[in-house]
Each structure stands twice: as C-alpha cells, then as structure tokens.
Amino acid sequence: VLIQVNISFEPAKSGCHPNEITELADFINQCEHLTLRGLMAIPAKTADPQLQLQYFEQLQTCFDKLQALYPQVDTLSMGMSNDVEAAIAAGSTMVRIGTDIFGTRT
C-alpha cells in the first residue's frame, strides 16, 4: 500500500494531509493482508521547477519520518512526465511517465 498524500493541499485532489500519515500508516500496518510500502503524491501542476522541487522535498521529509517508524517502507512515488526531473532530484523511487510514452489524453 502506498499512502496518497495531498502535499499541495488542493481541495480538488484526494489524499491525506501530511499530519495524518502516521495515523493511517498505523492502521494499514495492523491489517493482516496489507503491506505498507510508502507514499505517493501528485502535487499542484506548475511549470516552476523550484515549486515542483519544494513539494517533492516536503514529501521526501514525510517519507523519511515514515521510514524511521516502518523500516519496510521503500517506495516514494512522485513525479510525472511534466515534473519528473524535480521528483528524481528530491528522491523519488517511482515515477509515472505515461504522457511521455503515450502522449496526452484526448
């Protein structure tokens, strides 16, 4: 299980707030048939590389805290075709680049 985090606090996006991660992780960890693996996020769309990096670094900080509590946590999924460079620079272990492969959706 990857916990989706609404790192940019957009009302139109799903995901828990960063301060809710630990409580949700505790619940997931108690579920017999689930394995907590990490975090994922889709931050606000922006062409500003500094703002992209800022969002991703915030999630990296959350990931580090979660990993300290749950050593099995190994996945930080952040970054898509339009912000993959910033995501990798901030420590992403999984990127989603469908648009670069398949093109934009119609």
Side-chain angles (χ1 to χ4, degrees):
V1 174
L2 298 181
I3 297 172
Q4 183 171 331
V5 181
N6 188 343
I7 200 69
S8 53
F9 301 100
E10 290 181 275
K13 288 210 172 127
S14 296
C16 70
H17 285 215
N19 63 351
E20 300 170 326
I21 294 170
T22 302
E23 182 180 349
L24 187 51
D26 290 342
F27 175 79
I28 293 165
N29 197 54
Q30 292 174 23
C31 295
E32 181 180 349
H33 299 289
L34 299 178
T35 302
L36 177 63
R37 293 291 303 272
L39 302 176
M40 65 87 56
I42 303 171
K45 189 172 183 178
T46 178
D48 180 349
Q50 290 299 337
L51 189 54
Q52 291 172 350
L53 188 59
Q54 179 183 337
Y55 286 135
F56 292 138
E57 286 175 341
Q58 289 172 12
L59 192 63
Q60 175 67 51
T61 298
C62 295
F63 178 77
D64 291 341
K65 291 177 184 176
L66 185 64
Q67 202 171 40
L69 296 171
Y70 300 100
Q72 80 273 16
V73 166
D74 62 357
T75 304
L76 180 57
S77 178
M78 56 185 188
M80 299 190 336
S81 295
N82 68 327
D83 55 12
V84 68
E85 292 86 3
I88 292 170
S92 180
T93 65
M94 181 185 294
V95 294
R96 300 172 307 276
I97 53 169
T99 300
D100 281 352
I101 296 170
F102 302 110
T104 55
R105 295 181 197 178
T106 56

